[in-house]
Every structure is written in structure tokens, then in C-alpha cells.
């Protein structure tokens, strides 16, 4: 099947940021993972083609939700939302000097390259002990994955969704930063990469 003949989920994929906690009962979870340090907690939930990141620090609570659904999603407490196809960067500040930063990247791949990329992403996720959910659509193998790292005053998450029916690779990079406490230095975790690393290093 050619790329042009495939469905285009980018027409509906969106990133939604809530200034509140969302409860896992809102979603049909296929996996969850938690990182915690220095008073903050970042919890990741993964679903087929979707993910949510819940961040808690003191009285500050926020949730990132990336989804291809435009119905039956919570509407209360939305801070911002935008289509992922815009590859838009986002920055929002919450109480207690918590700053949220995110960026979206998308690619549409031909079948052979999509298959190679799928194997590479799956191997990377297993190597990093990421939160992984392989699944299938009516065309082939799909993948939803969240890879998190914790730092002294930041938590990072690289999230990937591969959709076979569209040959789509959607990547979001998110940082939850305690800006008022920032003192630098990695205490545990894997080095960040790409846009997240550039932000953390001030570039």
C-alpha cells in the first residue's frame, strides 16, 4: 500500500495539557510506569496509539495526553492543546516554579523503512527498559512507547507512536522542570537526547 493511499491520523492526533490530575479510569491502560525523585513523581500510562504523563510536585498537578481521539476525552482543566501535525513547541509554567516544555515531531515512512524503524525502536525500548506496548492495526505492527529519565530537578519523557496504517512515526519530547530549584547535574537516569538535551543544556 502506498503512503498516499493510507489513512492520515495526523488529522486528529493532538497534544492536550491539563492543569490537573487525570484518573487512569479515563483510559484503557495497557501499561504504566513511575519515576520519582526529589519530591516529584512522573507517571506514564500507555494505550494503543496514545499516552498520558501525570506529573505531581507539592500542590502542582498536571497531565499531558497525546491522543488520536477527538471524542470522549476529558475537557475540564485544559491549559492548552494543539494538533501534533503542527510540530509545535510548547512551554507553560505552573505554581511552585514547575515548568512544562514539549515538542512534537512526525514522519511518514514507506513500508520498508517503517518496518526497519519499528525493529530499531522496539530494540531501543527494550534496551532502555521503557514502557512498551506493541499492537496491530488492520495493516500491520504498531508501537506505543514511553522512555523516561529522572534528574535532580527535571523529569524527561520521550514518547513514540508508530501507526502502520499511515506509515506514521510520531515523537513527543517532554520536560517537567523544577526551575526555581534548578542546580544542574544528573543524579540518575540515561542521558537525554535531541531537543530535550538541547533544552536542558541551554542551547
Amino acid at each position: 500500500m502506498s503512503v498516499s493511499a493510507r489513512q492520515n491520523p495526523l488529522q486528529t492526533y493532538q497534544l492536550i495539557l491539563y492543569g490537573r490530575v487525570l484518573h487512569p479510569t479515563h483510559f484503557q491502560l495497557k501499561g504504566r510506569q513511575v519515576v520519582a525523585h526529589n519530591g516529584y513523581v512522573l507517571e506514564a500510562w500507555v494505550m494503543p496509539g496514545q499516552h498520558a504523563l501525570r506529573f505531581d510536585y507539592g500542590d502542582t498537578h498536571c497531565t499531558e495526553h497525546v491522543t488520536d481521539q477527538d471524542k470522549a476525552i476529558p475537557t475540564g482543566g485544559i491549559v492548552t492543546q494543539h494538533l501534533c501535525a503542527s510540530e509545535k513547541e510548547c512551554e507553560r509554567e505552573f505554581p511552585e516554579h514547575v515548568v512544562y516544555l514539549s515538542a512534537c515531531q512526525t514522519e511518514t515512512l514507506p513500508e520498508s523503512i517503517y518496518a526497519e524503524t519499528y525493529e530499531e525502536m522496539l530494540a531501543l525500548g527494550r534496551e532502555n527498559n521503557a514502557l512498551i506496548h506493541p499492537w496491530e492495526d488492520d495493516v500491520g505492527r504498531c508501537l506505543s512507547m514511553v522512555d523516561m529519565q529522572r534528574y535532580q530537578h527535571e523529569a524527561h519523557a520521550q514518547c513514540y507512536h508508530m501507526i502502520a496504517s499511515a506509515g506514521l512515526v510520531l515523537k513527543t519530547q517532554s520536560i517537567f522542570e523544577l526551575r526555581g530549584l534548578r542546580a544542574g547535574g544528573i543524579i540518575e537516569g540515561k542521558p537525554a537526547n535531541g531537543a530535550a538535551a538541547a533544552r536542558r543544556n541551554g542551547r
Side-chain angles (χ1 to χ4, degrees):
M1 180 184 297
S2 68
V3 171
S4 60
R6 297 177 181 180
Q7 302 174 19
N8 184 9
L10 280 179
Q11 295 175 356
T12 55
Y13 255 112
Q14 58 182 322
L15 184 151
I16 309 169
L17 178 65
Y18 297 86
R20 66 181 182 92
V21 167
L22 294 185
H23 196 273
T25 55
H26 287 297
F27 310 102
Q28 295 181 344
L29 301 190
K30 298 300 182 180
R32 62 197 302 175
Q33 192 175 83
V34 178
V35 296
H37 182 72
N38 203 22
Y40 70 73
V41 177
L42 176 61
E43 182 170 350
W45 305 332
V46 69
M47 300 76 73
Q50 304 181 57
H51 75 263
L53 300 173
R54 170 176 163 173
F55 184 83
D56 299 283
Y57 177 75
D59 293 327
T60 298
H61 312 282
C62 56
T63 306
E64 170 191 293
H65 183 205
V66 170
T67 178
D68 60 345
Q69 304 297 309
D70 56 3
K71 297 180 181 179
I73 59 174
T75 57
I78 293 177
V79 175
T80 186
Q81 65 185 116
H82 60 82
L83 291 176
C84 295
S86 65
E87 300 193 0
K88 183 178 181 180
E89 295 187 356
C90 176
E91 180 173 345
R92 288 292 185 275
E93 184 167 356
F94 291 91
E96 300 186 73
H97 304 289
V98 173
V99 178
Y100 164 86
L101 306 100
S102 71
C104 298
Q105 298 175 326
T106 61
E107 287 185 282
T108 302
L109 305 176
E111 290 183 17
S112 60
I113 299 178
Y114 177 92
E116 293 175 2
T117 303
Y118 180 95
E119 295 296 344
E120 292 172 358
M121 293 302 305
L122 188 59
L124 176 66
R126 289 170 174 167
E127 179 182 348
N128 290 351
N129 294 317
L131 178 61
I132 302 171
H133 176 55
W135 53 285
E136 293 188 2
D137 62 16
D138 57 354
V139 171
R141 296 185 300 170
C142 304
L143 180 68
S144 294
M145 182 172 82
V146 180
D147 186 11
M148 297 188 292
Q149 303 87 38
R150 64 181 188 179
Y151 299 90
Q152 181 72 1
H153 302 298
E154 300 174 14
H156 293 196
Q158 290 83 45
C159 306
Y160 307 87
H161 299 286
M162 299 190 65
I163 313 298
S165 62
L168 174 67
V169 180
L170 168 62
K171 177 181 180 181
T172 61
Q173 296 178 287
S174 302
I175 298 175
F176 299 86
E177 178 182 343
L178 308 182
R179 185 161 289 179
L181 303 177
R182 186 171 183 173
I186 300 173
I187 59 132
E188 185 172 337
K190 302 175 289 294
N193 53 42
R199 289 181 183 280
R200 192 171 60 81
N201 293 328
R203 296 197 296 270

